[in-house]
Amino acid sequence: MIMNEILINAIELLQKQFPQNSKSSLQKWIKHGRIYYLGRVVKRANQPVSSSGELTLNKKEIQRFSFPVLFEDDDLIVVNKPAQLLSVASLDPDERSVHEYLKKEFKPQKIYPVHRLDREVCGPLIFAKTKRASDALKEAFFERCVKREYKAIVEGLLQPSEGTWESYLEEKANYKVHVTKDQGKHAVTHYTVLDQNKAASLIALTLDTGRKNQLRVHSQQSGHSIVGDVKYGSSFERGAKFALMAHKLDFKHPFTEQELTFEVEPPPFFKKLLHEFKLKF
């Protein structure tokens, strides 16, 4: 130990490092063994640590359903949703959802869905832990203050290399979304080609609107369906998964005004498709 080193309680150092979190949340992190100091778990809130030291937060993974929590404080929680898991419950009682698992984890606290990702789509997903946070975040989405970037592998050589897809979308009785001339909901998608060849193109997609199946329908409408998305025109059969992922989420915390950015790596099946089509992420 360095001479004249000033020692403080671990909880005090945590409060300095994570000022956006309440003391009760920080104490829970310690209780659940998520805080490390010099490579060892901090077991007590009053454990002495160096005032100039650094505590490490172990990214929480909820073991019962194996998806990581990217951020959590008293008002909201951001998770990395895996493909094939619903965002919220369906009418089928046998279907599992992220919302269901979070409600069980934080019971009796209420958890509020803020937005959704299709079952087949993985990536950052926000839930609110308070009603006021839910209202504020939904307002941020409505005002288009939340930036969402997706990555997709689409069929063929997409030209031009950037552009905007705009249409009206309407869901039919078969639960499939269709483009209409002037009925339904207005939908706007911006795309940029990142890499491509004759077989496929890797593109970045950003949303002005968040309509059901919007990216999938717009890709099909352009003549370049998302690889593996047979429902919307793909000629490549890829089982239950298709090459669309939520890659990046950027927004301002509704109360602390902290800029929050979450960027995730492509899952193994997406990396495999990149390799097969010789595309660079």
Side-chain angles (χ1 to χ4, degrees):
M1 186 175 293
I2 302 174
M3 293 186 64
N4 301 321
E5 185 176 25
I6 300 174
L7 298 179
I8 59 176
N9 291 336
I11 191 68
E12 296 177 66
L13 185 56
L14 266 182
Q15 288 176 303
K16 291 181 180 180
Q17 286 187 216
F18 302 94
Q20 74 274 19
N21 293 88
S22 69
K23 189 173 181 179
S24 62
S25 289
L26 302 178
Q27 288 171 330
K28 288 179 182 178
W29 290 356
I30 294 174
K31 179 181 178 181
H32 295 154
R34 296 179 60 192
I35 301 301
Y36 287 77
Y37 179 64
L38 300 179
R40 296 185 176 183
V41 176
V42 173
K43 297 182 179 180
R44 309 187 317 276
N46 64 351
Q47 180 175 319
V49 297
S50 171
S51 60
S52 60
E54 184 175 356
L55 297 171
T56 303
L57 171 62
N58 180 35
K59 293 292 185 182
K60 182 179 182 182
E61 183 167 301
I62 302 177
Q63 296 296 330
R64 289 203 301 268
F65 37 92
S66 299
F67 56 76
V69 173
L70 304 176
F71 177 85
E72 180 192 345
D73 68 3
D74 290 345
D75 294 295
L76 59 99
I77 182 168
V78 182
V79 305
N80 187 10
K81 186 188 94 64
Q84 299 310 309
L85 184 62
L86 292 171
S87 297
V88 298
S90 69
L91 296 177
D92 186 344
D94 294 327
E95 292 275 16
R96 303 278 75 86
S97 71
V98 177
H99 186 214
E100 175 191 353
Y101 289 132
L102 291 177
K103 287 193 296 183
K104 289 180 180 178
E105 180 73 14
F106 293 99
K107 191 178 180 179
Q109 183 175 4
K110 193 167 183 179
I111 301 294
Y112 302 82
V114 175
H115 66 125
R116 302 183 186 189
L117 294 174
D118 286 355
R119 177 206 302 271
E120 299 85 355
V121 179
C122 58
L125 185 64
I126 312 170
F127 289 85
K129 296 168 71 177
T130 63
K131 181 64 166 60
R132 68 166 192 155
S134 174
D135 293 341
L137 288 165
K138 286 182 178 179
E139 179 69 17
F141 272 95
F142 181 78
E143 297 293 338
R144 301 179 182 176
C145 297
V146 180
K147 298 177 182 177
R148 291 170 284 171
E149 181 181 293
Y150 294 74
K151 294 287 178 68
I153 302 172
V154 298
E155 298 179 1
L157 195 68
L158 179 57
Q159 296 292 343
S161 60
E162 60 181 30
T164 298
W165 297 325
E166 186 172 3
S167 64
Y168 288 88
L169 302 181
E170 185 177 38
E171 185 176 4
K172 301 294 185 180
N174 61 356
Y175 301 106
K176 190 174 180 179
V177 178
H178 297 263
V179 174
T180 66
K181 289 186 177 180
D182 53 10
Q183 295 179 335
K185 297 180 178 179
H186 185 227
V188 180
T189 302
H190 306 286
Y191 75 87
T192 302
V193 174
L194 303 176
D195 193 17
Q196 64 182 171
N197 51 51
K198 291 182 179 180
S201 302
L202 173 67
I203 61 175
L205 298 155
T206 57
L207 300 170
D208 277 1
T209 56
R211 310 306 183 196
K212 182 178 179 180
N213 295 170
Q214 175 177 324
L215 300 179
R216 301 165 64 183
V217 179
H218 275 171
S219 296
Q220 181 187 36
Q221 183 190 20
S222 74
H224 301 273
S225 294
I226 295 170
V227 169
D229 191 4
V230 177
K231 181 177 180 180
Y232 290 101
S234 176
S235 58
F236 293 88
E237 176 60 66
R238 296 289 169 177
K241 297 178 181 178
F242 52 79
L244 174 64
M245 63 170 290
H247 177 234
K248 189 175 181 180
L249 188 65
D250 194 338
F251 65 100
K252 184 178 289 187
H253 193 288
F255 308 123
T256 67
E257 297 192 348
Q258 177 187 4
E259 290 290 346
L260 298 172
T261 299
F262 305 98
E263 189 171 324
V264 298
E265 287 289 312
F269 80 88
F270 200 101
K271 290 181 179 179
K272 183 179 179 181
L273 289 175
L274 289 169
H275 178 74
E276 288 181 13
F277 287 106
K278 299 179 181 179
L279 298 170
K280 294 181 180 179
F281 191 78

